[in-house]
Amino acid sequence: MAAMMRLDKLLGHCGWGTRRQLKELCKNGNVLVNGRACRDSSVKVDPAADVISVDGEQVLYEQYSYLMLHKPAGVLSATEDRHSQTVLDLLPRTYQGAGLFPVGRLDKDTTGLLLLTNDGKWSHRITSPKKHIDKVYEATVDGIIPEDMEEQFQAGIMLADGLQCLPAHAVQTGANTVEITVQEGKYHQVKRMCAAVGLTVTALHRRSIGSLQLDSCLQPGSFRTLTEKERELPFE
Ligand code: URA
């Protein structure tokens, strides 16, 4: 049998409000458990078996969520911020109480594939440099692309502050575009690697993580859940 949990905890996880708001909702008879009004928000329910609804809307509980977001420019890869919009602000209410966080960070001006989850183990498997997962970026650059750029990246770039990067790939894809593949996620890594070879990044877009590509149907700012198969693609 699945673990029992408090009704208010389950509803909070699904974005139905704070503990106090849920107490009120229950008291007022808005919450049904298996078709009957449940006026006590502290009762234990079985998320796998009990049918729960609020104001006639069925509550679908999932312990873990796995989302792919097309991150737009101008939004922070954070869970909350007093001044700027965050990637969490782009999600609907049903994801607001589930403890989601971004899997690694993209800079505020970087666009593209950002994963969100509340599964710490899955996130760690993706972000740990020890797992050698390729993250592929398209960088638009200012400056003269050096002829030996590929070799410099392959040898491992030394950043301006002396930090040594792991070997990476850099391939020129257009007059001022470069495709860069890295397996780590140091602060401003791609921008600083480019700076080390004399290039200024003017736009940066992440296309893929392992074999998981950004869905081309997703407009900037929109998201979708990953299928079970897609959850394994970062590791392939
Ligand atoms: N490298 C950067 O410099 N910025 C990002 O957002 C991601 C990788």
Side-chain angles (χ1 to χ4, degrees), residues 103-104 123-137 153-154 156-157 164-170 179-187 189-190 193 206 208-211 234-236:
V103 178
S123 168
H124 179 71
R125 282 173 70 204
I126 294 172
T127 51
S128 168
K130 289 191 192 129
K131 305 289 182 193
H132 300 290
I133 292 177
D134 286 342
K135 284 104 186 170
V136 180
Y137 295 86
F153 272 73
Q154 192 67 64
I157 297 277
Q164 180 65 50
C165 296
L166 291 172
H169 289 286
E179 185 185 274
I180 294 169
T181 306
V182 295
Q183 293 187 336
E184 33 180 7
K186 298 188 201 303
Y187 182 63
Q189 176 151 0
V190 171
M193 286 170 114
R206 182 157 66 190
S208 59
I209 297 175
S211 298
F235 316 111
E236 286 176 7

Side-chain angles (χ1 to χ4, degrees), residues 71 77 105-111 135 137 180 182 184-194 201 204-206:
K71 181 191 171 297
S77 297
R105 278 168 186 260
L106 292 178
D107 296 336
K108 193 172 179 183
D109 56 356
T110 300
T111 59
K135 284 104 186 170
Y137 295 86
I180 294 169
V182 295
E184 33 180 7
K186 298 188 201 303
Y187 182 63
H188 293 330
Q189 176 151 0
V190 171
K191 291 174 186 164
R192 292 197 292 156
M193 286 170 114
C194 286
V201 173
L204 190 61
H205 180 82
R206 182 157 66 190

